[in-house]
Amino acid sequence: MVSPSAVTVRVPAKVNLQLSVGPRRDDGFHELATIFHAVGLHDDVTVTEQPAGSGITLACEGEGADLVPLDETNLAWRAVRILADAAGVDADVSVQIDKHIPVAGGMAGGSADAAGALLACDALWGLGTPRSELHDLAAALGSDVPFALQGGTAIGSGRGEQLTSVLARGSFHWVFALAREGLSTAAVYAECDRLRADRHVPDPYVSDMLMQALRAGDPVLLGKSLHNDLQQAAFSLRPMLARVIEAGEECGALGGIVSGSGPTCAFVARDAEHALDIAVSLTSTGLVRSVKRSSGPALGARVI
Ligand code: ATP
């Protein structure tokens, strides 16, 4: 079989329908009980073979591309490196990222790009790496990377890298309110630790009500079940976000939540038309940079 000289992989953003943050572990990570949900905002990652000795080069286009590092600190770059090292391949590739996932938005865009680069290089080099090995490499790159490979809806435990698929009926309609400036995930976790420093933090567990909403495909119950332990910390660092959540609910959303560590806010709608109404109303508040709509669950990383 002739290997392709370029491969493009499409990767989804995620929203955490539940993000329960347990005690801080000795390794600095927090024990999580989370439900990841892939949504139809995508980045496309294209890897193209280059002459021997070229090494890895990176380019990024699209929304927020100027905020994305183009060196070895980029998660996609690290993904190419880690797969090449594991497989004993010389990494002579250019990586092109077409960005549609908000940068530093709490939707795991960098993690998605890493998952995309892993899968794209695996196909480019004809490695056929077993899924379980790709998952382990993904987990070494970051807690959210394995889910970007898998997509759909899944319970995440440990630091979020241990995944169990969840059967969710139908699809849900989402409105995302994008902020003008990103938030640092590390800063939000630090603020969360500060806010609850004098409290006992119980072990986190997955909400029965949320699982029921997913099994039933019930957007009303889903809206009531959304929960994020990082939300107060995100509000504390960016008070405007509390107003955005309030505004979304006033615009008729069935529920609203800060996505991951924020600052993107996610709102669930009854159907596509309702999502359009919410998006229009939210835009007119002037509280947000822009608004995007999409549905979920979406597929995980896939070659296109
Ligand atoms: P997290 O997965 O921590 O919730 P996030 O979704 O909030 O992250 P990302 O878009 O992944 O945010 O970016 C966080 C930071 O990571 C950026 O500010 C950027 O400096 C760096 N970064 C590294 N690689 C990438 C990438 N491929 N795309 C976007 N940002 C990247």
Side-chain angles (χ1 to χ4, degrees):
M1 200 178 87
V2 182
S3 289
S5 59
V7 175
T8 299
V9 169
R10 177 156 289 180
V11 272
K14 61 84 188 163
V15 56
N16 301 79
L17 307 178
Q18 174 187 352
L19 180 48
S20 292
V21 180
R24 214 180 124 122
R25 310 191 311 201
D26 291 342
D27 63 3
F29 288 102
H30 293 77
E31 195 67 25
L32 302 182
T34 188
I35 299 193
F36 292 111
H37 185 69
V39 294
L41 297 183
H42 297 107
D43 283 356
D44 287 336
V45 180
T46 301
V47 295
T48 307
E49 200 175 275
Q50 298 296 327
S54 307
I56 305 168
T57 56
L58 205 97
C60 184
E61 276 180 18
E63 242 177 278
D66 51 324
L67 303 170
V68 175
L70 298 178
D71 56 13
E72 64 284 352
T73 64
N74 191 299
L75 273 174
W77 181 305
R78 292 181 45 214
V80 175
R81 187 77 271 156
I82 201 175
L83 181 65
D85 289 348
V89 170
D90 290 328
D92 295 312
V93 291
S94 60
V95 182
Q96 165 78 35
I97 300 171
D98 290 315
K99 267 249 161 256
H100 304 278
I101 304 175
V103 176
M107 300 192 80
S111 302
D113 298 343
L118 272 182
L119 201 63
C121 284
D122 186 60
L124 184 74
W125 297 330
L127 299 175
T129 309
R131 268 281 155 172
S132 63
E133 282 174 36
L134 278 184
H135 177 284
D136 291 347
L137 294 174
L141 289 162
S143 307
D144 290 346
V145 184
F147 177 72
L149 272 181
Q150 179 172 320
T153 305
I155 297 172
S157 51
R159 56 183 167 88
E161 86 289 12
Q162 295 163 24
L163 300 175
T164 310
S165 293
V166 169
L167 271 184
R169 179 166 295 155
S171 83
F172 297 101
H173 295 269
W174 293 95
V175 178
F176 297 103
L178 275 50
R180 294 193 171 85
E181 217 185 307
L183 264 177
S184 145
T185 303
V188 176
Y189 270 99
E191 181 64 1
C192 176
D193 287 338
R194 192 187 71 77
L195 289 176
R196 54 189 201 177
D198 52 3
R199 250 184 284 154
H200 166 71
V201 178
D203 286 334
Y205 60 91
V206 166
S207 147
D208 284 344
M209 186 159 99
L210 182 48
M211 293 301 285
Q212 199 188 324
L214 292 169
R215 271 195 305 271
D218 180 343
V220 175
L221 194 58
L222 177 67
K224 289 185 187 144
S225 316
L226 298 172
H227 174 80
N228 183 356
D229 276 345
L230 293 180
Q231 185 153 300
Q232 282 311 320
F235 287 173
S236 168
L237 296 177
R238 192 71 65 75
M240 165 75 105
L241 294 180
R243 289 177 57 202
V244 175
I245 292 288
E246 238 173 64
E249 286 169 356
E250 278 161 19
C251 292
L254 302 175
I257 197 172
V258 168
S259 176
S261 55
T264 303
C265 294
F267 299 97
V268 65
R270 242 183 341 266
D271 50 34
E273 203 179 325
H274 187 212
L276 180 59
D277 287 347
I278 297 167
V280 170
S281 308
L282 258 180
T283 307
S284 69
T285 62
L287 290 172
V288 300
R289 169 164 64 92
S290 63
V291 171
K292 293 199 180 205
R293 283 174 293 135
S294 83
S295 57
L299 294 174
R302 65 191 193 284
V303 175
I304 57 171

